[in-house]
Amino acid sequence: MKLLHKKIEQEGKVLSDTVLKVDSFLNHQVDPQLMKAIGEEFAARFRQEGITKVLTIESSGIAPGVMAAMELGTPLIFARKKKSLTLSEGLLTAEVYSFTKQETNTISVSTQYLKEGDRVLLIDDFLANGQAALGLIELVKQAGAHVAGIGIVIEKSFQEGGKLVRETGYRVESLAEIESLNDGQVTFKKGAEVS
Amino acid sequence: MKLLHKKIEQEGKVLSDTVLKVDSFLNHQVDPQLMKAIGEEFAARFRQEGITKVLTIESSGIAPGVMAAMELGTPLIFARKKKSLTLSEGLLTAEVYSFTKQETNTISVSTQYLKEGDRVLLIDDFLANGQAALGLIELVKQAGAHVAGIGIVIEKSFQEGGKLVRETGYRVESLAEIESLNDGQVTFKKGAEVS
């Protein structure tokens, strides 16, 4: 996705060979017009899949997720990262280890909103080690629903997640695929910039 | 806001005299079309204030916040509830006590995105005890920026927050004002349904 590649080139900060900071438009400050374009792109790529729900994880998945859901005409559900007082019964849960934060979170979603028969599009901001996406897949399976696809804003293709998640057999669409962050440079995967 | 009142009447669950659960369209599952209408309403009420940034807190403020920012043509910033590894330097912070969760969170925003001269619209999902809104005001003051207004999706007018926050002198606009949750019933404040 050209607009996203351009934004990453202009504003992304390469902090190390593995860490790309995109706090100016995705993870802290958010560019609503870019989020809308990202939502439209996800909708275009998955519209034929008969999506009934979009599922993401708080917090950075919410902005791209709500725009994708708006375009697809479905609700968005954001999985919670810990149990809250007003959401104690009827929860599906999965454990997600974050390599960045070096902690394990329990992600949860209410059985009231994710149901058997749902065709679910999973959305997340990053695909790196794949743990978050695998946790979301687990929640959908527990609900007896169907994973209709996985939409990722930025994939770090040099990490394990892409391989792990694609091995599940589900279709993964990443709007930006980064081959390397070596030498302080963002190198996109060749042929990835399709629109 | 009629559409929001109707949604609260149809889907809101009164758990006690003080707790209203709106997980089906705002706090867990999110209705994107309603969020868009809410964003448009906030934009209409604050457009003349020369807003340069919309500021909210993760997670439930993000969906209405990104829609308001989209309509106003500004970026959204979402304050973090705890310090993250990739956001360690140049942070403005404030302490926010949550009566619901009975815990104190440090909310933070990067000095890179909230700056002197910014005219900031604060958005949050609920106004109850007012601690979150007061924390956001504190962050804006620390940045040397100006609070241009405060937009709340649902105000529980029978709690202290509305009074506390209005005493700061800033303009507060709540799209739904709930006078009482007694007897399992949602009672809206009279005259509040202006559009």
Side-chain angles (χ1 to χ4, degrees), chain B residues 22-183:
Chain B
V22 288
D23 275 353
S24 72
F25 62 88
L26 182 58
N27 296 131
H28 182 35
Q29 183 169 260
V30 175
D31 178 336
Q33 296 300 335
L34 179 64
M35 293 304 116
K36 186 162 186 289
I38 284 171
E40 287 166 355
E41 182 67 26
F42 282 136
R45 294 192 189 194
F46 290 103
R47 199 179 300 279
Q48 73 281 19
E49 302 293 342
I51 310 294
T52 62
K53 295 277 166 69
V54 174
L55 175 65
T56 189
I57 305 185
E58 61 180 350
S59 292
S60 294
I62 296 175
V66 74
M67 294 299 184
M70 185 169 72
E71 291 299 322
L72 288 164
T74 71
L76 167 75
I77 305 169
F78 60 90
R80 292 279 186 185
K81 269 187 190 155
K82 59 174 182 178
K83 294 167 192 177
S84 79
L85 294 181
T86 53
L87 265 177
S88 51
E89 290 169 27
L91 288 183
L92 307 169
T93 63
E95 300 291 303
V96 173
Y97 180 72
S98 164
F99 287 86
T100 316
K101 297 185 180 174
Q102 298 179 39
E103 63 184 24
T104 299
N105 284 297
T106 301
I107 63 168
S108 63
V109 71
S110 167
T111 52
Q112 287 196 286
Y113 306 119
L114 196 58
K115 295 191 172 173
E116 203 178 328
D118 268 328
R119 293 183 58 82
V120 185
L121 173 60
L122 307 181
I123 297 285
D124 209 4
D125 57 336
F126 270 95
L127 176 57
N129 295 292
Q131 302 305 301
L134 293 172
L136 289 173
I137 290 170
E138 172 63 23
L139 293 179
V140 174
K141 283 185 176 172
Q142 284 179 29
H146 178 74
V147 176
I150 300 164
I152 300 294
V153 181
I154 302 173
E155 177 174 347
K156 294 193 283 185
S157 305
F158 56 89
Q159 287 179 300
E160 286 299 295
K163 185 170 172 289
L164 280 175
V165 174
R166 284 182 181 88
E167 278 173 0
T168 63
Y170 301 119
R171 180 176 156 214
V172 179
E173 293 278 341
S174 300
L175 303 189
E177 293 181 67
I178 293 173
E179 192 171 79
S180 158
L181 294 172
N182 292 349
D183 306 319

Side-chain angles (χ1 to χ4, degrees), chain A residues 13 21 23 27-30 32 36 58-59 70 76 78 80 82 85-87 100 103 110 112, chain B residues 13 21 23 27-30 36 58-59 70 74 76 78 80 82 85-87 100 103 110 112:
Chain A
K13 288 173 194 160
K21 192 170 167 175
D23 275 352
N27 296 130
H28 182 35
Q29 184 169 257
V30 174
K36 186 162 187 289
E58 61 180 351
S59 292
M70 185 170 71
L76 167 74
F78 61 90
R80 291 279 184 184
K82 59 173 181 177
L85 294 183
T86 53
L87 265 177
T100 316
E103 62 185 24
S110 167
Q112 287 194 288
Chain B
K13 287 173 195 159
K21 193 168 166 177
D23 275 353
N27 296 131
H28 182 35
Q29 183 169 260
V30 175
K36 186 162 186 289
E58 61 180 350
S59 292
M70 185 169 72
T74 71
L76 167 75
F78 60 90
R80 292 279 186 185
K82 59 174 182 178
L85 294 181
T86 53
L87 265 177
T100 316
E103 63 184 24
S110 167
Q112 287 196 286

